[in-house]
Amino acid sequence: MKKRLIVDMDGVMSDIYGQFLKHEFEDLKIKQDLNSLIGKSENEAFLNHDIYVNSENFFYEASPIENSIEALEKVNLKYDLFIVSSAMQFPLSLGEKIKWLNKHFPFIHWKQVVFCGSKELINGDIMIDDHFKNLDTFSGKTILFSQPHNLNRDNGKHLRVSNWKEIEEILL
Amino acid sequence: MKKRLIVDMDGVMSDIYGQFLKHEFEDLKIKQDLNSLIGKSENEAFLNHDIYVNSENFFYEASPIENSIEALEKVNLKYDLFIVSSAMQFPLSLGEKIKWLNKHFPFIHWKQVVFCGSKELINGDIMIDDHFKNLDTFSGKTILFSQPHNLNRDNGKHLRVSNWKEIEEILL
């Protein structure tokens, strides 16, 4: 039986930092260095965070993270793959996220997608996520995807990866 | 620790049959008897099923099922309640379902809501649903909410209820 793999969207498949930085530069002419964002939540890091996440097309126009498409296409054949996104806080994002997945990851069926408020009731064998709060309550194997907000922490419970090539090496 | 209770939306909280019957009467002047719907899937039962479920406000304008609001308000205090809806097939429904919940069930926080394609990765102690496919793969206690499509079947695995008063008696 295939192992059930749970993959997060924002910050793992979707380059949300890139979107924040792009919007901040366009709107405010602010150009933050990635190093200055280390350890800050996205909410702390970006002045207009709440405006952006509630803006039309913010999630739809995000770029896929490098190599995520190629890697997930292969991973999808070997694992019982589910994309699980904490999207419920931003109702506008729900439809956009489905459209985004259909556009960039057409090999992922709608039956493989879950939008939730909390990931604590998600059951699986492996989880890839950039947030400790999601990984800490998961009962299976956990992989932490590096993003500026999590770079200054390590609770020793999760395997840290920095890109999709590393994930491929672990999973394939 | 509170028990985790998983409650379905369509056909358990939301009167989707009422919506289909109302639209069919308004559009086609068809007035189906509930008995004639027994054992038919919603897709088989309603001629314009696919048009309706993809129409704007179809899900938003559905009425809550009798006594569901009063019962869930009490249940919400005693259980770790999650609303889990197979909404992913109809992208338009995602935003509407959140709005519908906020309107009729304002005591339910967005952290308690999950939209998915398949419920097989949902973990909990008790599930209330009107579909065998969701209950059959659930590891906890299962409660089947009667709807015309499930009335002619019984696989002996689930406790059948016909209304929210019966659910209150079981849960409270």
Side-chain angles (χ1 to χ4, degrees), chain A residues 47-91:
Chain A
L47 203 60
N48 285 349
H49 175 277
D50 289 357
I51 295 170
Y52 294 153
V53 294
N54 290 299
S55 303
E56 211 163 320
N57 288 325
F58 181 80
F59 290 95
Y60 183 62
E61 288 172 356
S63 301
I65 283 181
E66 198 177 4
N67 297 316
S68 60
I69 298 174
E70 302 81 345
L72 277 167
E73 192 156 16
K74 286 178 254 179
V75 163
N76 192 37
L77 300 174
K78 196 176 161 193
Y79 289 84
D80 186 24
L81 172 67
F82 286 91
I83 311 303
V84 180
S85 177
S86 296
M88 219 48 78
Q89 196 176 359
F90 311 117

mmCIF file of all heavy atoms in Angstrom, chain A residues 47-91:
data_model
loop_
_atom_site.group_PDB
_atom_site.id
_atom_site.type_symbol
_atom_site.label_atom_id
_atom_site.label_comp_id
_atom_site.label_asym_id
_atom_site.label_seq_id
_atom_site.Cartn_x
_atom_site.Cartn_y
_atom_site.Cartn_z
ATOM 1 N N LEU A 47 4.558 44.654 6.290
ATOM 2 C CA LEU A 47 3.708 45.730 6.800
ATOM 3 C C LEU A 47 2.244 45.579 6.366
ATOM 4 O O LEU A 47 1.332 45.718 7.167
ATOM 5 C CB LEU A 47 4.280 47.054 6.245
ATOM 6 C CG LEU A 47 3.970 48.328 6.986
ATOM 7 C CD1 LEU A 47 4.489 48.265 8.412
ATOM 8 C CD2 LEU A 47 4.606 49.522 6.257
ATOM 9 N N ASN A 48 2.036 45.303 5.085
ATOM 10 C CA ASN A 48 0.671 45.217 4.552
ATOM 11 C C ASN A 48 0.170 43.775 4.463
ATOM 12 O O ASN A 48 -0.691 43.469 3.636
ATOM 13 C CB ASN A 48 0.615 45.851 3.158
ATOM 14 C CG ASN A 48 0.654 47.360 3.229
ATOM 15 O OD1 ASN A 48 0.514 47.933 4.302
ATOM 16 N ND2 ASN A 48 0.841 48.003 2.077
ATOM 17 N N HIS A 49 0.714 42.906 5.288
ATOM 18 C CA HIS A 49 0.365 41.481 5.242
ATOM 19 C C HIS A 49 -1.140 41.236 5.096
ATOM 20 O O HIS A 49 -1.604 40.557 4.183
ATOM 21 C CB HIS A 49 0.894 40.773 6.494
ATOM 22 C CG HIS A 49 0.486 39.347 6.606
ATOM 23 N ND1 HIS A 49 -0.739 38.949 7.124
ATOM 24 C CD2 HIS A 49 1.118 38.198 6.246
ATOM 25 C CE1 HIS A 49 -0.822 37.635 7.081
ATOM 26 N NE2 HIS A 49 0.280 37.158 6.558
ATOM 27 N N ASP A 50 -1.916 41.833 6.016
ATOM 28 C CA ASP A 50 -3.352 41.542 6.044
ATOM 29 C C ASP A 50 -4.070 42.058 4.802
ATOM 30 O O ASP A 50 -5.040 41.450 4.348
ATOM 31 C CB ASP A 50 -3.997 42.148 7.298
ATOM 32 C CG ASP A 50 -3.575 41.400 8.553
ATOM 33 O OD1 ASP A 50 -2.840 40.397 8.428
ATOM 34 O OD2 ASP A 50 -3.971 41.818 9.659
ATOM 35 N N ILE A 51 -3.578 43.164 4.273
ATOM 36 C CA ILE A 51 -4.190 43.690 3.035
ATOM 37 C C ILE A 51 -3.892 42.735 1.888
ATOM 38 O O ILE A 51 -4.788 42.364 1.128
ATOM 39 C CB ILE A 51 -3.646 45.106 2.725
ATOM 40 C CG1 ILE A 51 -4.075 46.088 3.820
ATOM 41 C CG2 ILE A 51 -4.112 45.581 1.343
ATOM 42 C CD1 ILE A 51 -3.412 47.447 3.744
ATOM 43 N N TYR A 52 -2.645 42.306 1.792
ATOM 44 C CA TYR A 52 -2.259 41.448 0.665
ATOM 45 C C TYR A 52 -3.005 40.114 0.676
ATOM 46 O O TYR A 52 -3.531 39.686 -0.347
ATOM 47 C CB TYR A 52 -0.742 41.200 0.667
ATOM 48 C CG TYR A 52 0.085 42.450 0.399
ATOM 49 C CD1 TYR A 52 1.374 42.582 0.890
ATOM 50 C CD2 TYR A 52 -0.447 43.503 -0.349
ATOM 51 C CE1 TYR A 52 2.130 43.723 0.648
ATOM 52 C CE2 TYR A 52 0.302 44.657 -0.585
ATOM 53 C CZ TYR A 52 1.585 44.759 -0.083
ATOM 54 O OH TYR A 52 2.317 45.889 -0.324
ATOM 55 N N VAL A 53 -3.043 39.447 1.827
ATOM 56 C CA VAL A 53 -3.663 38.111 1.852
ATOM 57 C C VAL A 53 -5.164 38.157 1.615
ATOM 58 O O VAL A 53 -5.778 37.135 1.306
ATOM 59 C CB VAL A 53 -3.360 37.336 3.167
ATOM 60 C CG1 VAL A 53 -1.878 37.020 3.271
ATOM 61 C CG2 VAL A 53 -3.856 38.091 4.390
ATOM 62 N N ASN A 54 -5.747 39.340 1.755
ATOM 63 C CA ASN A 54 -7.172 39.475 1.449
ATOM 64 C C ASN A 54 -7.417 40.150 0.096
ATOM 65 O O ASN A 54 -8.549 40.531 -0.211
ATOM 66 C CB ASN A 54 -7.873 40.249 2.577
ATOM 67 C CG ASN A 54 -7.964 39.426 3.854
ATOM 68 O OD1 ASN A 54 -8.569 38.361 3.864
ATOM 69 N ND2 ASN A 54 -7.324 39.894 4.915
ATOM 70 N N SER A 55 -6.349 40.313 -0.695
ATOM 71 C CA SER A 55 -6.491 40.933 -2.021
ATOM 72 C C SER A 55 -6.753 39.869 -3.077
ATOM 73 O O SER A 55 -6.189 38.771 -3.017
ATOM 74 C CB SER A 55 -5.200 41.655 -2.428
ATOM 75 O OG SER A 55 -4.855 42.613 -1.477
ATOM 76 N N GLU A 56 -7.572 40.241 -4.038
ATOM 77 C CA GLU A 56 -7.872 39.332 -5.140
ATOM 78 C C GLU A 56 -6.586 38.962 -5.886
ATOM 79 O O GLU A 56 -5.730 39.813 -6.124
ATOM 80 C CB GLU A 56 -8.856 40.012 -6.100
ATOM 81 C CG GLU A 56 -9.770 39.019 -6.784
ATOM 82 C CD GLU A 56 -10.978 39.698 -7.402
ATOM 83 O OE1 GLU A 56 -11.537 40.624 -6.763
ATOM 84 O OE2 GLU A 56 -11.343 39.301 -8.518
ATOM 85 N N ASN A 57 -6.454 37.704 -6.212
ATOM 86 C CA ASN A 57 -5.353 37.151 -7.002
ATOM 87 C C ASN A 57 -4.000 37.072 -6.304
ATOM 88 O O ASN A 57 -3.023 36.664 -6.926
ATOM 89 C CB ASN A 57 -5.198 37.904 -8.340
ATOM 90 C CG ASN A 57 -6.341 37.567 -9.271
ATOM 91 O OD1 ASN A 57 -6.824 36.433 -9.273
ATOM 92 N ND2 ASN A 57 -6.784 38.540 -10.052
ATOM 93 N N PHE A 58 -3.943 37.463 -5.023
ATOM 94 C CA PHE A 58 -2.668 37.346 -4.311
ATOM 95 C C PHE A 58 -2.177 35.897 -4.320
ATOM 96 O O PHE A 58 -1.012 35.619 -4.632
ATOM 97 C CB PHE A 58 -2.792 37.857 -2.862
ATOM 98 C CG PHE A 58 -1.497 37.782 -2.097
ATOM 99 C CD1 PHE A 58 -0.519 38.752 -2.271
ATOM 100 C CD2 PHE A 58 -1.239 36.738 -1.220
ATOM 101 C CE1 PHE A 58 0.696 38.676 -1.596
ATOM 102 C CE2 PHE A 58 -0.029 36.662 -0.534
ATOM 103 C CZ PHE A 58 0.928 37.634 -0.726
ATOM 104 N N PHE A 59 -3.056 34.967 -4.011
ATOM 105 C CA PHE A 59 -2.644 33.561 -3.972
ATOM 106 C C PHE A 59 -2.568 32.972 -5.387
ATOM 107 O O PHE A 59 -1.704 32.158 -5.682
ATOM 108 C CB PHE A 59 -3.597 32.746 -3.089
ATOM 109 C CG PHE A 59 -3.457 33.077 -1.629
ATOM 110 C CD1 PHE A 59 -4.279 34.009 -1.006
ATOM 111 C CD2 PHE A 59 -2.467 32.476 -0.868
ATOM 112 C CE1 PHE A 59 -4.125 34.331 0.337
ATOM 113 C CE2 PHE A 59 -2.299 32.783 0.482
ATOM 114 C CZ PHE A 59 -3.132 33.723 1.076
ATOM 115 N N TYR A 60 -3.477 33.423 -6.248
ATOM 116 C CA TYR A 60 -3.507 32.855 -7.601
ATOM 117 C C TYR A 60 -2.252 33.195 -8.402
ATOM 118 O O TYR A 60 -1.789 32.401 -9.214
ATOM 119 C CB TYR A 60 -4.764 33.340 -8.351
ATOM 120 C CG TYR A 60 -4.878 32.729 -9.722
ATOM 121 C CD1 TYR A 60 -5.008 31.351 -9.869
ATOM 122 C CD2 TYR A 60 -4.827 33.525 -10.879
ATOM 123 C CE1 TYR A 60 -5.091 30.766 -11.120
ATOM 124 C CE2 TYR A 60 -4.911 32.945 -12.130
ATOM 125 C CZ TYR A 60 -5.041 31.576 -12.246
ATOM 126 O OH TYR A 60 -5.111 31.000 -13.491
ATOM 127 N N GLU A 61 -1.701 34.381 -8.156
ATOM 128 C CA GLU A 61 -0.556 34.823 -8.963
ATOM 129 C C GLU A 61 0.814 34.432 -8.390
ATOM 130 O O GLU A 61 1.852 34.776 -8.967
ATOM 131 C CB GLU A 61 -0.635 36.347 -9.179
ATOM 132 C CG GLU A 61 -1.770 36.702 -10.151
ATOM 133 C CD GLU A 61 -2.030 38.198 -10.260
ATOM 134 O OE1 GLU A 61 -1.380 38.976 -9.532
ATOM 135 O OE2 GLU A 61 -2.911 38.570 -11.072
ATOM 136 N N ALA A 62 0.820 33.712 -7.303
ATOM 137 C CA ALA A 62 2.105 33.269 -6.724
ATOM 138 C C ALA A 62 2.791 32.276 -7.662
ATOM 139 O O ALA A 62 2.131 31.518 -8.373
ATOM 140 C CB ALA A 62 1.856 32.616 -5.369
ATOM 141 N N SER A 63 4.111 32.301 -7.658
ATOM 142 C CA SER A 63 4.864 31.330 -8.471
ATOM 143 C C SER A 63 5.018 30.026 -7.708
ATOM 144 O O SER A 63 5.154 30.033 -6.487
ATOM 145 C CB SER A 63 6.258 31.878 -8.774
ATOM 146 O OG SER A 63 6.161 33.087 -9.470
ATOM 147 N N PRO A 64 5.052 28.917 -8.433
ATOM 148 C CA PRO A 64 5.385 27.652 -7.765
ATOM 149 C C PRO A 64 6.843 27.698 -7.302
ATOM 150 O O PRO A 64 7.686 28.311 -7.964
ATOM 151 C CB PRO A 64 5.211 26.602 -8.863
ATOM 152 C CG PRO A 64 4.369 27.266 -9.901
ATOM 153 C CD PRO A 64 4.719 28.729 -9.856
ATOM 154 N N ILE A 65 7.133 27.074 -6.189
ATOM 155 C CA ILE A 65 8.512 27.017 -5.694
ATOM 156 C C ILE A 65 9.352 26.135 -6.621
ATOM 157 O O ILE A 65 8.852 25.120 -7.142
ATOM 158 C CB ILE A 65 8.511 26.543 -4.217
ATOM 159 C CG1 ILE A 65 8.083 27.731 -3.341
ATOM 160 C CG2 ILE A 65 9.881 25.998 -3.801
ATOM 161 C CD1 ILE A 65 8.044 27.465 -1.862
ATOM 162 N N GLU A 66 10.582 26.538 -6.813
ATOM 163 C CA GLU A 66 11.492 25.872 -7.758
ATOM 164 C C GLU A 66 11.482 24.337 -7.609
ATOM 165 O O GLU A 66 11.622 23.818 -6.490
ATOM 166 C CB GLU A 66 12.922 26.399 -7.520
ATOM 167 C CG GLU A 66 13.842 26.126 -8.683
ATOM 168 C CD GLU A 66 15.242 26.733 -8.461
ATOM 169 O OE1 GLU A 66 15.493 27.296 -7.380
ATOM 170 O OE2 GLU A 66 16.061 26.616 -9.388
ATOM 171 N N ASN A 67 11.335 23.670 -8.722
ATOM 172 C CA ASN A 67 11.351 22.195 -8.799
ATOM 173 C C ASN A 67 10.158 21.493 -8.141
ATOM 174 O O ASN A 67 10.120 20.256 -8.114
ATOM 175 C CB ASN A 67 12.641 21.603 -8.208
ATOM 176 C CG ASN A 67 13.865 22.034 -8.992
ATOM 177 O OD1 ASN A 67 13.850 22.021 -10.220
ATOM 178 N ND2 ASN A 67 14.908 22.433 -8.302
ATOM 179 N N SER A 68 9.216 22.248 -7.595
ATOM 180 C CA SER A 68 8.091 21.591 -6.911
ATOM 181 C C SER A 68 7.205 20.829 -7.905
ATOM 182 O O SER A 68 6.697 19.750 -7.583
ATOM 183 C CB SER A 68 7.265 22.607 -6.116
ATOM 184 O OG SER A 68 6.726 23.599 -6.964
ATOM 185 N N ILE A 69 7.023 21.381 -9.095
ATOM 186 C CA ILE A 69 6.138 20.722 -10.079
ATOM 187 C C ILE A 69 6.736 19.390 -10.522
ATOM 188 O O ILE A 69 6.073 18.342 -10.442
ATOM 189 C CB ILE A 69 5.896 21.644 -11.297
ATOM 190 C CG1 ILE A 69 5.177 22.929 -10.850
ATOM 191 C CG2 ILE A 69 5.067 20.916 -12.363
ATOM 192 C CD1 ILE A 69 5.011 23.972 -11.940
ATOM 193 N N GLU A 70 7.996 19.427 -10.946
ATOM 194 C CA GLU A 70 8.655 18.211 -11.433
ATOM 195 C C GLU A 70 8.699 17.161 -10.325
ATOM 196 O O GLU A 70 8.427 15.977 -10.562
ATOM 197 C CB GLU A 70 10.092 18.526 -11.882
ATOM 198 C CG GLU A 70 10.204 19.592 -12.975
ATOM 199 C CD GLU A 70 10.120 21.042 -12.460
ATOM 200 O OE1 GLU A 70 9.701 21.263 -11.291
ATOM 201 O OE2 GLU A 70 10.464 21.960 -13.231
ATOM 202 N N ALA A 71 9.054 17.593 -9.119
ATOM 203 C CA ALA A 71 9.176 16.644 -8.008
ATOM 204 C C ALA A 71 7.819 16.031 -7.658
ATOM 205 O O ALA A 71 7.696 14.809 -7.514
ATOM 206 C CB ALA A 71 9.770 17.342 -6.789
ATOM 207 N N LEU A 72 6.790 16.888 -7.555
ATOM 208 C CA LEU A 72 5.489 16.357 -7.143
ATOM 209 C C LEU A 72 4.863 15.466 -8.213
ATOM 210 O O LEU A 72 4.108 14.552 -7.899
ATOM 211 C CB LEU A 72 4.539 17.496 -6.758
ATOM 212 C CG LEU A 72 4.727 17.978 -5.324
ATOM 213 C CD1 LEU A 72 4.007 19.285 -5.069
ATOM 214 C CD2 LEU A 72 4.231 16.922 -4.324
ATOM 215 N N GLU A 73 5.194 15.715 -9.468
ATOM 216 C CA GLU A 73 4.664 14.838 -10.523
ATOM 217 C C GLU A 73 5.181 13.404 -10.319
ATOM 218 O O GLU A 73 4.436 12.440 -10.476
ATOM 219 C CB GLU A 73 5.049 15.379 -11.908
ATOM 220 C CG GLU A 73 4.282 14.678 -13.007
ATOM 221 C CD GLU A 73 4.148 15.499 -14.279
ATOM 222 O OE1 GLU A 73 4.899 16.495 -14.450
ATOM 223 O OE2 GLU A 73 3.290 15.151 -15.115
ATOM 224 N N LYS A 74 6.456 13.302 -9.939
ATOM 225 C CA LYS A 74 7.015 11.966 -9.673
ATOM 226 C C LYS A 74 6.490 11.400 -8.343
ATOM 227 O O LYS A 74 6.114 10.229 -8.257
ATOM 228 C CB LYS A 74 8.558 12.060 -9.633
ATOM 229 C CG LYS A 74 9.191 12.234 -11.010
ATOM 230 C CD LYS A 74 10.709 12.368 -10.900
ATOM 231 C CE LYS A 74 11.135 13.811 -11.129
ATOM 232 N NZ LYS A 74 12.594 14.028 -11.007
ATOM 233 N N VAL A 75 6.476 12.247 -7.326
ATOM 234 C CA VAL A 75 6.022 11.829 -5.998
ATOM 235 C C VAL A 75 4.571 11.317 -6.052
ATOM 236 O O VAL A 75 4.197 10.348 -5.387
ATOM 237 C CB VAL A 75 6.157 13.028 -5.021
ATOM 238 C CG1 VAL A 75 5.333 12.813 -3.757
ATOM 239 C CG2 VAL A 75 7.629 13.265 -4.674
ATOM 240 N N ASN A 76 3.764 11.978 -6.882
ATOM 241 C CA ASN A 76 2.341 11.632 -7.016
ATOM 242 C C ASN A 76 2.123 10.196 -7.496
ATOM 243 O O ASN A 76 1.087 9.589 -7.226
ATOM 244 C CB ASN A 76 1.687 12.614 -8.002
ATOM 245 C CG ASN A 76 0.177 12.534 -8.003
ATOM 246 O OD1 ASN A 76 -0.443 12.339 -6.958
ATOM 247 N ND2 ASN A 76 -0.427 12.664 -9.180
ATOM 248 N N LEU A 77 3.085 9.650 -8.206
ATOM 249 C CA LEU A 77 2.958 8.277 -8.708
ATOM 250 C C LEU A 77 3.289 7.252 -7.622
ATOM 251 O O LEU A 77 2.781 6.138 -7.631
ATOM 252 C CB LEU A 77 3.898 8.064 -9.911
ATOM 253 C CG LEU A 77 3.664 8.977 -11.111
ATOM 254 C CD1 LEU A 77 4.753 8.767 -12.155
ATOM 255 C CD2 LEU A 77 2.286 8.733 -11.719
ATOM 256 N N LYS A 78 4.149 7.667 -6.705
ATOM 257 C CA LYS A 78 4.653 6.701 -5.720
ATOM 258 C C LYS A 78 3.907 6.777 -4.379
ATOM 259 O O LYS A 78 3.935 5.831 -3.591
ATOM 260 C CB LYS A 78 6.159 6.975 -5.503
ATOM 261 C CG LYS A 78 6.875 5.835 -4.825
ATOM 262 C CD LYS A 78 8.373 6.065 -4.699
ATOM 263 C CE LYS A 78 8.938 5.149 -3.620
ATOM 264 N NZ LYS A 78 10.290 5.494 -3.221
ATOM 265 N N TYR A 79 3.297 7.915 -4.101
ATOM 266 C CA TYR A 79 2.640 8.116 -2.804
ATOM 267 C C TYR A 79 1.153 8.381 -2.983
ATOM 268 O O TYR A 79 0.693 8.793 -4.043
ATOM 269 C CB TYR A 79 3.277 9.304 -2.070
ATOM 270 C CG TYR A 79 4.676 9.012 -1.571
ATOM 271 C CD1 TYR A 79 5.780 9.153 -2.410
ATOM 272 C CD2 TYR A 79 4.890 8.580 -0.266
ATOM 273 C CE1 TYR A 79 7.061 8.859 -1.963
ATOM 274 C CE2 TYR A 79 6.167 8.299 0.186
ATOM 275 C CZ TYR A 79 7.244 8.434 -0.665
ATOM 276 O OH TYR A 79 8.503 8.141 -0.211
ATOM 277 N N ASP A 80 0.431 8.169 -1.895
ATOM 278 C CA ASP A 80 -0.972 8.563 -1.785
ATOM 279 C C ASP A 80 -0.926 10.035 -1.341
ATOM 280 O O ASP A 80 -0.903 10.334 -0.153
ATOM 281 C CB ASP A 80 -1.604 7.646 -0.724
ATOM 282 C CG ASP A 80 -3.096 7.818 -0.590
ATOM 283 O OD1 ASP A 80 -3.723 8.276 -1.553
ATOM 284 O OD2 ASP A 80 -3.620 7.488 0.495
ATOM 285 N N LEU A 81 -0.855 10.911 -2.326
ATOM 286 C CA LEU A 81 -0.536 12.323 -2.076
ATOM 287 C C LEU A 81 -1.783 13.165 -1.781
ATOM 288 O O LEU A 81 -2.778 13.071 -2.510
ATOM 289 C CB LEU A 81 0.175 12.888 -3.316
ATOM 290 C CG LEU A 81 0.442 14.390 -3.356
ATOM 291 C CD1 LEU A 81 1.458 14.806 -2.290
ATOM 292 C CD2 LEU A 81 0.935 14.815 -4.745
ATOM 293 N N PHE A 82 -1.711 13.974 -0.737
ATOM 294 C CA PHE A 82 -2.759 14.954 -0.455
ATOM 295 C C PHE A 82 -2.119 16.326 -0.234
ATOM 296 O O PHE A 82 -1.109 16.439 0.464
ATOM 297 C CB PHE A 82 -3.557 14.571 0.798
ATOM 298 C CG PHE A 82 -4.501 13.432 0.578
ATOM 299 C CD1 PHE A 82 -4.091 12.133 0.806
ATOM 300 C CD2 PHE A 82 -5.786 13.656 0.111
ATOM 301 C CE1 PHE A 82 -4.950 11.059 0.588
ATOM 302 C CE2 PHE A 82 -6.649 12.601 -0.107
ATOM 303 C CZ PHE A 82 -6.237 11.296 0.126
ATOM 304 N N ILE A 83 -2.727 17.329 -0.842
ATOM 305 C CA ILE A 83 -2.298 18.710 -0.635
ATOM 306 C C ILE A 83 -3.206 19.288 0.443
ATOM 307 O O ILE A 83 -4.431 19.323 0.266
ATOM 308 C CB ILE A 83 -2.432 19.529 -1.941
ATOM 309 C CG1 ILE A 83 -1.793 18.791 -3.128
ATOM 310 C CG2 ILE A 83 -1.881 20.934 -1.762
ATOM 311 C CD1 ILE A 83 -0.338 18.427 -2.957
ATOM 312 N N VAL A 84 -2.629 19.715 1.552
ATOM 313 C CA VAL A 84 -3.438 20.202 2.671
ATOM 314 C C VAL A 84 -3.008 21.622 3.016
ATOM 315 O O VAL A 84 -1.862 21.857 3.415
ATOM 316 C CB VAL A 84 -3.301 19.281 3.905
ATOM 317 C CG1 VAL A 84 -4.158 19.807 5.051
ATOM 318 C CG2 VAL A 84 -3.714 17.853 3.564
ATOM 319 N N SER A 85 -3.926 22.556 2.855
ATOM 320 C CA SER A 85 -3.601 23.972 3.045
ATOM 321 C C SER A 85 -4.491 24.607 4.111
ATOM 322 O O SER A 85 -5.706 24.423 4.100
ATOM 323 C CB SER A 85 -3.788 24.703 1.713
ATOM 324 O OG SER A 85 -3.552 26.077 1.875
ATOM 325 N N SER A 86 -3.868 25.353 5.022
ATOM 326 C CA SER A 86 -4.645 26.110 6.029
ATOM 327 C C SER A 86 -5.178 27.371 5.369
ATOM 328 O O SER A 86 -4.609 28.447 5.516
ATOM 329 C CB SER A 86 -3.744 26.521 7.197
ATOM 330 O OG SER A 86 -3.280 25.404 7.872
ATOM 331 N N ALA A 87 -6.251 27.207 4.637
ATOM 332 C CA ALA A 87 -6.732 28.304 3.799
ATOM 333 C C ALA A 87 -7.975 28.976 4.368
ATOM 334 O O ALA A 87 -8.413 30.011 3.874
ATOM 335 C CB ALA A 87 -7.058 27.763 2.403
ATOM 336 N N MET A 88 -8.528 28.401 5.413
ATOM 337 C CA MET A 88 -9.868 28.796 5.843
ATOM 338 C C MET A 88 -9.933 30.221 6.385
ATOM 339 O O MET A 88 -10.981 30.845 6.385
ATOM 340 C CB MET A 88 -10.331 27.792 6.903
ATOM 341 C CG MET A 88 -11.773 27.412 6.814
ATOM 342 S SD MET A 88 -12.325 26.969 5.170
ATOM 343 C CE MET A 88 -11.685 25.311 5.041
ATOM 344 N N GLN A 89 -8.787 30.745 6.844
ATOM 345 C CA GLN A 89 -8.769 32.100 7.405
ATOM 346 C C GLN A 89 -8.995 33.161 6.329
ATOM 347 O O GLN A 89 -9.436 34.267 6.631
ATOM 348 C CB GLN A 89 -7.411 32.335 8.094
ATOM 349 C CG GLN A 89 -7.415 33.529 9.022
ATOM 350 C CD GLN A 89 -6.098 33.681 9.764
ATOM 351 O OE1 GLN A 89 -5.174 32.879 9.591
ATOM 352 N NE2 GLN A 89 -6.002 34.710 10.575
ATOM 353 N N PHE A 90 -8.682 32.807 5.092
ATOM 354 C CA PHE A 90 -8.790 33.764 3.989
ATOM 355 C C PHE A 90 -9.743 33.214 2.929
ATOM 356 O O PHE A 90 -9.311 32.584 1.960
ATOM 357 C CB PHE A 90 -7.401 34.023 3.396
ATOM 358 C CG PHE A 90 -6.361 34.332 4.441
ATOM 359 C CD1 PHE A 90 -5.265 33.509 4.625
ATOM 360 C CD2 PHE A 90 -6.495 35.443 5.263
ATOM 361 C CE1 PHE A 90 -4.315 33.779 5.606
ATOM 362 C CE2 PHE A 90 -5.562 35.726 6.255
ATOM 363 C CZ PHE A 90 -4.463 34.889 6.425
ATOM 364 N N PRO A 91 -11.054 33.456 3.107
ATOM 365 C CA PRO A 91 -12.063 32.834 2.241
ATOM 366 C C PRO A 91 -11.825 33.092 0.754
ATOM 367 O O PRO A 91 -12.111 32.230 -0.082
ATOM 368 C CB PRO A 91 -13.369 33.487 2.697
ATOM 369 C CG PRO A 91 -13.115 33.915 4.103
ATOM 370 C CD PRO A 91 -11.659 34.289 4.152
#
